Each structure stands twice: as C-alpha cells, then as structure tokens.
Amino acid sequence: MQFKKKSGVVGAQSPLLRWVCGSEQYGAHAIGRLLRHKGSFKKALDLGAGTGRDLEIIRKSSPGVELFGIEFDAQQCAILKSKGVKTYQVDLESSRLPFEDEYFDIVIINQVLEHIKDIFFILHETARVLKTGGYVLIGVPNVASLHNRALLLFGQHPTQAKSYSAHIRTFSKQDTQRMIELAGNGVFQLVDFAGAQFYPFPKKIARLLSSALPSFAFSIFFLFQKQSDYTDSFYQYGKSLTASTFCKNSLK
C-alpha cells in the first residue's frame, strides 16, 4: 500500500491538509523563542541531529558556540560535518555519550524520544553531560493536540500514535513534565513551554493558535533547566521498570 506525502506530512491524504506546512511541526520558530534571552552558549549538543537544523538556530544566537551532533545515519553525519558540527555516529539506545560529565550548556532532543523504547537511559546520559544551570530542550509530538482529541471523539486513532508509524511512545504536556520531574528526582525544572503546528490550518493561523494554545498544538516543546548535581536518578528509575532494557546494564 502506498502512502502519499503532501506538504511534508506523511500519509496526509485529506484535502483538509492541503494548506498545512509540514515543516512547522519541527518548531524552528518555537525553539528560537524558547532560547531567546537565555544567554550565549559555549557548547551545544543535539541528540538525533539530522542535518543540523536546530543547531543552526543556536549558532545564530551564539555565533561562537561549539556545535556537537549525535546521529546514526551515515549520510546525515556527512552533512553535519560539512557544516562544521563535531559529529559522532552513536546508537542512542545502546551507547553512552562520548563526553565527560557536565560538558554542555544546552542539549536538544527534538522529535527523537517518540522513536525510543527505553528513554530513561538517554535522559540519564543527557543529565550527566549537561552542566548544572544548563538547559535541555525537548520537542515531541503531542498526543493531546486538538486534532487528536477530535479524532478520538469520532473513534479515530491519534495521528502521532499510529501502529504503522515509527512512533512507539506518546507524549502530552502534563505527562511529560511529570515524567521528567519524577524520574529525574527534581534535578530538572520546567522554565518554559511552547507549541508548534496546528492542524488543519495554514502557517500563519497555525502559529497564532499554537502560541495562544500551546498544549493543543501538534508538537510541544519543553525547556528544562538543570537545578542541581546529577547522580543516576533517571538510570535507577528505568532500572526499576520491567520494560527497561539498557538501564539493566552497568554504568561502568
């Protein structure tokens, strides 16, 4: 069965979506707003960096920043390197990050966690390499978006959680914030929140609606700040769950 792709939205066959700008769900403008007035960053890391789109946002606000990217796809690694990004080809679910503790001022994890089965190992490594006082920016699809609520009302499945898609986890504002605070044992505090993309509206209207009603947007973005020294709370939380795999491994 063939799935059509319109406006960057996989499977978007409905005529209602013909004006939707698919790239809006990645939230470049939302990321820029969240990072505004947060000072200049010296070292920035992007987990699942792709072609470096989000790192370019940081480079614009912090021209002297040293950029690092973790990416598994070899072709995208080559693109990152061509842009001056220090690139490491690493499997996020099975390998420790090749950096010392408290190395980065900011870590970005945008549109990645929904693809990950065992997220606590990744969150552990993120907290480990992030400086105290630094930021982690997380972007995920919102299962509680307005269009998903409407779909469920009519007995349809949420678009962010299709069984035949690459997404294996779902996120909403309250649940994600609770997970980070609970599993992290208070190490992270939410300091800002934003939304991006608003089905089925065109770009200008979508931006207005996602700004006014961020928790109803297609994608949601969290800016957490690391409040204190980190030991291994995410790792231990993951280890306590029977579904965890990588947190069963030794940290040594």
Side-chain angles (χ1 to χ4, degrees), residues 104-123:
F104 294 100
D105 304 294
I106 182 169
V107 177
I108 294 179
I109 318 173
N110 186 15
Q111 310 302 316
V112 171
L113 294 181
E114 67 271 19
H115 301 279
I116 303 297
K117 179 182 178 182
D118 192 348
I119 62 176
F120 299 105
F121 179 73
I122 294 175
L123 292 173

Side-chain angles (χ1 to χ4, degrees), residues 160-203:
Q160 280 93 329
K162 296 288 188 182
S163 299
Y164 50 81
S165 77
H167 294 182
I168 60 175
R169 278 186 175 270
T170 57
F171 298 88
S172 64
K173 182 181 187 296
Q174 184 180 37
D175 186 69
T176 304
Q177 181 179 353
R178 177 63 175 157
M179 180 267 292
I180 295 291
E181 293 174 350
L182 179 65
N185 198 28
V187 169
F188 287 109
Q189 179 182 346
L190 183 66
V191 295
D192 210 345
F193 176 75
Q197 185 65 284
F198 216 100
Y199 276 8
F201 301 99
K203 185 175 180 178

